[in-house]
Amino acid sequence: MTVTKRTKHDVVWEFRCNEILTAARKLFAKKGFAEATMEEIAAATGLAKGTLYLYFKSKRDVYLKTLQHGTAELLELAAGNVQQAIGIRAKVRALVETRVKYADENRDFFKIYLTEFGGGTHPAAGSKEFRDLPLKQAAVIENLLRGGAESGELGPLDFEAAAFTIQDMVRSLITRRLLGWSKNERNHDVDFLCGFICGAIGC
Amino acid sequence: MTVTKRTKHDVVWEFRCNEILTAARKLFAKKGFAEATMEEIAAATGLAKGTLYLYFKSKRDVYLKTLQHGTAELLELAAGNVQQAIGIRAKVRALVETRVKYADENRDFFKIYLTEFGGGTHPAAGSKEFRDLPLKQAAVIENLLRGGAESGELGPLDFEAAAFTIQDMVRSLITRRLLGWSKNERNHDVDFLCGFICGAIGC
Amino acid sequence: MTVTKRTKHDVVWEFRCNEILTAARKLFAKKGFAEATMEEIAAATGLAKGTLYLYFKSKRDVYLKTLQHGTAELLELAAGNVQQAIGIRAKVRALVETRVKYADENRDFFKIYLTEFGGGTHPAAGSKEFRDLPLKQAAVIENLLRGGAESGELGPLDFEAAAFTIQDMVRSLITRRLLGWSKNERNHDVDFLCGFICGAIGC
Amino acid sequence: MTVTKRTKHDVVWEFRCNEILTAARKLFAKKGFAEATMEEIAAATGLAKGTLYLYFKSKRDVYLKTLQHGTAELLELAAGNVQQAIGIRAKVRALVETRVKYADENRDFFKIYLTEFGGGTHPAAGSKEFRDLPLKQAAVIENLLRGGAESGELGPLDFEAAAFTIQDMVRSLITRRLLGWSKNERNHDVDFLCGFICGAIGC
DNA sequence: CATGAATGAGCGTTCATTCAT
DNA sequence: TATGAATGAACGCTCATTCAT
């Protein structure tokens, strides 16, 4: 019985959190961290301002959680798809496609993501959790490349540098699509980028 | 005589502006636009808060001017160096090196620059002057590539997409260096990236 | 039930507004618009500065609302009393007495009122709502006089000019009383002025 | 020689003061005391901000002096013209005409004057010099009336109250003219008012 | 005398956060 | 649990006044 109650409670809790995070995501994407107010988030959620503090301990917390879900999901998704793909080319494609697709489908999240991890100063700076996120993501790519080298598909390479560079090539594409600078079908853009990358790393 | 007086005044004026901008740059780089206060900028400059408003009409104005000088200089520098270089390889290298060197030497400026042009929401958003800056910079690269194609050094290519991608590959390198993720000599990093790029575009 | 809840909220809201307006009125009367600060108003109300902005959207708004209630009430009061009185003499007396009594009983309001409508520059200048108030009030008098003329109680007259003049005669009396220059009973002063006016317009 | 130098100096000094006061008058009339800035006054005068403080010890001082000249001149003018006129009617007319004419010719001054002496709160409040000005002016009228009573031209009357009232009747006319509510020739308006006053006091 | 750069106290306003209900 | 009124610290900006030149 306790379990049932707990569960019901949890479901509601999670539902509320998601409501808030979705509204927050939209706002943070549109106005940035500093310009978005708790008032607005509350209004967008249909909740009272005070209620937000039952689910999140501060504005910053909302912001961080706003990033958290997406980053985790994206990381996991990419890792999974890469693993399933066979051969370095396919793996690269899986990675690129996963990220671009995710960005297409989660535009609000990605705008925040880009603000955060553009290389400049950011509100989440100092949050242990996020400081090393780009490193983690690059590591996925780096491993992929090392695997290719071991299997002889790739020649010698500065894997770390290459990984970062590829990561930002993907970011470049996503940005262009997000800002509406690219009007192509996703597949077309992904194909182009994969060709570009394969040229660079020689696969 | 009028000239002398005018000049003296102008020299002081420019000196003050630079004092303020340098302090502001440091602060904006460290804390971002929203978190940096005029009070702090004033304190860092050794001036009183009100004095800032003799030279800049608002906090936003300080911020924008903080970007302005660097972006103009960088654009000009890159264009010049690229033009002087002969052959597509040399031109690419000139571009990459110019930007990386400038970033190394103007770290504060570049942190702000990356915050602004990371693809997400940004404080200067809406400032007509800066909205299209990335486009302008990509155009420099695009022209470079088209030139290479005309001279037969490069094969067929989506020049626009390639330009954006290269731009972000450079950005990738700069970010890594700025955040201390790369401990290499500048030349080494530049060499790597140029090789990478040339692999990608086939030169 | 909804009604009850709504009412409770409204009662508190109105109570707060009145608290604030009363304190503000006292301060504006004493120091004028420019010299009175929101801090002081808050302190006088026993509220925090920020709280004022829950009920009024700006200092100017407080000031305008400070005028609003009194002006509306006075206009209405005067119109009512004038209408009830029969004969031009009685009507004039009703008008004079109503205004003088109101001023006696709302000294703070009237000091602000006089500041606003003294003929010089004023803080509310530009507020559409108040620009023509003196005109409206004079119109009440003008109608009264025209009525008197139609009924044959009054001879020919420049009604508009007379209305304005009478209005300022009343103002004159009110000012003297407000500043303590007249120590007479209200009735005595009112009698005097009515005699004076009747002499002037010949009734 | 000392005298000559002194005099020359004084002439310049007075000239500067007048320049400043004229500009200030215009500004105070237009924007009121609080909204007008020393910067603007300086700009309007063609002098530097600091220079104003050589001639006036504070903004308030400028404001007070701005009132001073006009009030003194007006008082003197009115007293002179009244004295020259013979008979109560003529004296009243002299008074009314003098004031209305002065207002027509010194609109800026009079807007400030009305702001100050409208009965409400004002910036000059607390300045010993001006507190009793309306009293002094009313005294001129009161004496005029007493003279009329002594000579048998006027019946018994509350001279003080009548004086104040007449003063504000004149003010009423001036205000209407200043605000453009009256389009009549000055003489016409003056005639009307004199008739009105004479009706009231019975002359 | 004249200047105008510099000052810094002070104000209106905002908004994340708290807490009594 | 949910509310939303209340808070008050903090910030951007203004402007009367001073003073070194």
Side-chain angles (χ1 to χ4, degrees), chain D residues 9 16 48 50-51 55:
Chain D
H9 172 273
R16 280 268 189 270
T51 309
Y55 297 92

Side-chain angles (χ1 to χ4, degrees), chain B residues 139-154:
Chain B
V140 171
I141 306 181
E142 197 177 333
N143 285 335
L144 185 164
L145 296 178
R146 283 187 199 283
E150 277 166 25
S151 69
E153 291 171 280
L154 251 42

Side-chain angles (χ1 to χ4, degrees), chain D residues 19-72:
Chain D
E19 270 189 321
I20 295 170
L21 286 178
T22 303
R25 199 139 38 209
K26 205 169 294 185
L27 267 161
F28 286 138
K30 189 164 134 203
K31 320 177 68 176
F33 176 77
E35 301 306 311
T37 70
M38 291 299 265
E39 189 81 53
E40 289 170 310
I41 297 174
T45 326
L47 293 170
K49 213 182 348 174
T51 309
L52 302 186
Y53 287 86
L54 296 176
Y55 297 92
F56 300 92
K57 71 179 203 290
S58 70
K59 183 184 175 185
R60 185 162 220 268
D61 188 31
V62 177
Y63 186 77
L64 260 24
K65 296 255 165 59
T66 253
L67 276 173
Q68 203 165 50
H69 179 256
T71 50

Side-chain angles (χ1 to χ4, degrees), chain C residues 16 48-51 55:
Chain C
R16 280 272 185 268
K49 203 173 10 163
T51 308
Y55 298 92

Side-chain angles (χ1 to χ4, degrees), chain A residues 29 115 120-121 164 168 171-172, chain B residues 29 115 120-121 164 168 171-172 176:
Chain A
T115 303
T121 317
F164 277 111
D168 274 357
R171 211 251 302 249
S172 182
Chain B
T115 303
T121 318
F164 277 109
D168 274 357
R171 213 252 300 251
S172 183
R176 260 175 293 141

Side-chain angles (χ1 to χ4, degrees), chain A residues 93-125:
Chain A
R93 203 185 196 287
L95 183 106
V96 172
E97 187 169 24
T98 304
R99 296 194 58 168
V100 174
K101 183 156 179 273
Y102 194 84
D104 279 355
E105 289 165 354
N106 300 272
R107 299 172 62 86
D108 287 334
F109 162 73
F110 240 91
K111 278 211 132 191
I112 304 173
Y113 178 90
L114 289 173
T115 303
E116 271 317 292
F117 302 112
T121 317
H122 48 260

